[in-house]
Amino acid sequence: MKAHDGIYVDGAWRPAAGPDTIEVVNPADEQVLAHVPAGTAEDVDAAVRAARAALPAWAATEPAERAARLTALRDRLAARAEEIAETVTAELGAPPKLSQTVHAALPVAVAGSYAELAAAHAFEERLGNSTVLHEPVGVVGAITPWNYPLHQIVAKVAPALAAGCTVVLKPAEDTPLTAQLFAEAVDEAGVPAGVFNLVTGLGPVAGQALAEHEGVDMVSFTGSTAVGRRIGATAGAAVKRVALELGGKSANVILPGADLSRAVNVGVANVMSNSGQTCSAWTRMLVHREDYEQAVELAAEAAAKYGERIGPVVSARQRDRVRGYIEKGLAEGARLVTGGPEAPRERGYYVRPTVFADVRPDMTIAQEEIFGPVLCLLAYEDAEDALRIANGTEYGLAGAVWAAEEAEAVAFARRLETGQVDINGGRFNPLAPFGGYKRSGVGRELGPHGLAEYLQTKSFQF
């Protein structure tokens, strides 16, 4: 598969400073797809310098022009949708249909939404005897994960550009080819040199150098809570802004009287999508004691359908991690309903779609993010018990509530300690703020709230 052998800095592809490369592997067959540069601190420094040099002119650009560049970027991503989907399937292992309908299509919608927001946002407002300005925060270091490689890039880069910021992107080392396609689309869209820069590399090297660089005004990171803590500490020491979208252990609460079959089937689909590699997945299904065994049967039937349809997880490391959690669940006494730790295929980083019943809230698999196709069913006695269980983890990223009456679901959802809740299967909204409570992070992505993360305020008093 085609790959650039350099980094994208100041509007051009150039050789990396060092000779080391990263091997990109197809998780479905374990074959090497390509090699990309393992960027160094020197490469990051060059990219940050380019971003700083480009900042004054881009920040002064009229919002209408920034909107025009984002519209062009949206159009280039749309034109490349087939190539993007094929690349995501190759380096992430996502099934082709998922790559087309989510991995390639969703970023187009998000880029378009920020083109509209850039044109419509009031970058100046009157407040009493003051004029309040909304100005770009500066140079943004964006560090993105592998699970939704293009969506996570667009969710950071598009609002940053809309705000007038310049960007240095360090994508996940498992999925760098998608990031290179994005850099090509940025170039084709006519974004000025230095406004967007790309350095591929390893997290402890290029990622750390970007987070620590004195020329970076803000770090936007999506990934594990452990790494997020380190980035937050580094940024705090430098009094630097951060946006952290971290882990999740979201609860899918099915209240008595809800459409049990629909709630269970939608819940299983939510967990199995993208091979369970979704931070907002509803990995804990909470069901009233009287409906519990029926829900277990429905979940087992639904999960079994994914046996041949589910893709691999991204890497051997991730496969072993997920299998380790499945073994931990068995060791702690959870009832295995379907799936298990055994390898379903001879080659590829596949994990069996797995459903556990009789999961206690204090079990490891009910508390820690597994990031694989593993669903835990927990029984509750009444609404207060369900609320205690749902709020009983260190995470608070997403969730769902199902009830016979919408008002009942909304009343329960108001008490959940989480950043986003779907009511009775509510549709995804790319303009709704996405982000977490507690150790699921700080800040919000998507829509106007996502744009606000990249703006700072100044006021004039008259």
Side-chain angles (χ1 to χ4, degrees):
M1 180 167 283
K2 177 186 175 183
H4 288 280
D5 58 3
I7 58 176
Y8 183 77
V9 172
D10 203 19
W13 295 95
R14 63 167 68 175
D20 294 341
T21 62
I22 296 170
E23 191 175 76
V24 186
V25 176
N26 185 329
D29 60 16
E30 303 180 42
Q31 297 299 305
V32 176
L33 294 168
H35 293 81
V36 300
T40 64
E42 183 178 344
D43 295 315
V44 169
D45 182 65
V48 173
R49 289 178 181 277
R52 289 226 71 86
L55 179 62
W58 183 248
T61 301
E62 289 296 322
E65 173 57 22
R66 298 202 294 266
R69 292 309 99 215
L70 286 168
T71 298
L73 175 59
R74 178 204 64 191
D75 293 344
R76 293 312 307 155
L77 293 175
R80 285 171 163 259
E82 183 176 349
E83 183 182 11
I84 289 168
E86 291 174 352
T87 302
V88 173
T89 292
E91 65 179 352
L92 177 62
K97 184 177 180 180
L98 182 68
S99 291
Q100 295 161 6
T101 59
V102 176
H103 289 287
L106 179 58
V108 173
V110 173
S113 74
Y114 279 113
E116 295 176 2
L117 284 167
H121 185 77
F123 287 91
E124 291 190 19
E125 61 178 326
R126 288 290 294 177
L127 191 63
N129 66 309
S130 301
T131 295
V132 180
L133 309 182
H134 300 262
E135 299 181 333
V137 73
V139 174
V140 174
I143 304 174
T144 57
W146 44 260
N147 58 326
Y148 289 90
L150 184 57
H151 169 64
Q152 298 284 3
I153 289 171
V154 172
K156 297 182 187 304
V157 176
L161 298 188
C165 299
T166 56
V167 181
V168 178
L169 169 67
K170 204 298 285 184
E173 50 263 38
D174 293 295
T175 54
L177 304 182
T178 303
Q180 290 189 344
L181 289 180
F182 177 78
E184 292 176 1
V186 168
D187 195 79
E188 294 166 357
V191 175
V195 172
F196 170 80
N197 307 271
L198 168 68
V199 178
T200 54
L202 301 175
V205 180
Q208 183 171 337
L210 184 59
E212 293 178 347
H213 201 291
E214 293 183 355
V216 172
D217 300 296
M218 172 182 176
V219 179
S220 180
F221 169 79
T222 297
S224 72
T225 298
V227 176
R229 284 172 171 167
R230 294 199 294 271
I231 289 175
T234 298
V239 196
K240 183 181 302 186
R241 186 181 295 194
V242 293
L244 304 174
E245 198 267 278
L246 308 176
K249 195 68 185 177
S250 301
N252 180 16
V253 182
I254 306 174
L255 298 174
D259 184 338
L260 186 64
S261 178
R262 181 166 179 254
V264 171
N265 278 276
V266 172
V268 171
N270 175 278
V271 172
M272 299 304 163
S273 179
N274 211 43
S275 302
Q277 299 168 129
T278 303
C279 54
S280 56
W282 311 331
T283 51
R284 295 180 297 145
M285 183 179 290
L286 279 57
V287 186
H288 190 270
R289 182 74 64 187
E290 292 183 0
D291 298 322
Y292 186 74
E293 286 304 326
Q294 184 182 354
V296 170
E297 293 179 8
L298 288 168
E301 293 173 4
K305 298 175 183 177
Y306 287 86
E308 296 300 320
R309 292 159 45 190
I310 200 168
V313 295
V314 73
S315 64
R317 178 183 65 256
Q318 185 65 15
R319 175 200 60 197
D320 295 344
R321 180 178 186 271
V322 175
R323 288 182 183 172
Y325 273 111
I326 295 173
E327 291 169 349
K328 185 73 169 178
L330 292 170
E332 292 185 355
R335 173 169 40 121
L336 182 66
V337 176
T338 188
E342 300 82 8
R345 306 189 190 187
E346 291 185 4
R347 292 188 66 79
Y349 308 133
Y350 290 89
V351 177
R352 294 179 183 275
T354 298
V355 175
F356 280 110
D358 302 341
V359 178
R360 299 189 311 274
D362 62 342
M363 286 183 176
T364 302
I365 59 172
Q367 288 292 320
E368 297 184 10
E369 185 177 45
I370 298 173
F371 225 60
V374 181
L375 172 65
C376 299
L377 277 88
L378 299 90
Y380 66 84
E381 302 299 333
D382 54 28
E384 291 303 314
D385 190 35
L387 186 69
R388 177 186 62 80
I389 296 170
N391 288 339
T393 76
E394 66 179 14
Y395 298 112
L397 187 56
V401 181
W402 303 79
E405 299 294 334
E406 183 178 288
E408 181 186 9
V410 170
F412 189 93
R414 288 182 183 278
R415 302 172 69 193
L416 288 175
E417 297 169 352
T418 191
Q420 193 170 78
V421 185
D422 291 354
I423 304 296
N424 286 341
R427 292 185 299 110
F428 175 76
N429 179 5
L431 292 176
F434 179 78
Y437 284 30
K438 299 187 284 188
R439 292 180 180 174
S440 284
V442 295
R444 293 295 182 266
E445 292 187 327
L446 303 180
H449 294 84
L451 176 61
E453 293 291 334
Y454 298 91
L455 294 168
Q456 56 189 348
T457 56
K458 175 191 295 179
S459 64
F460 300 151
Q461 283 60 248
F462 296 92

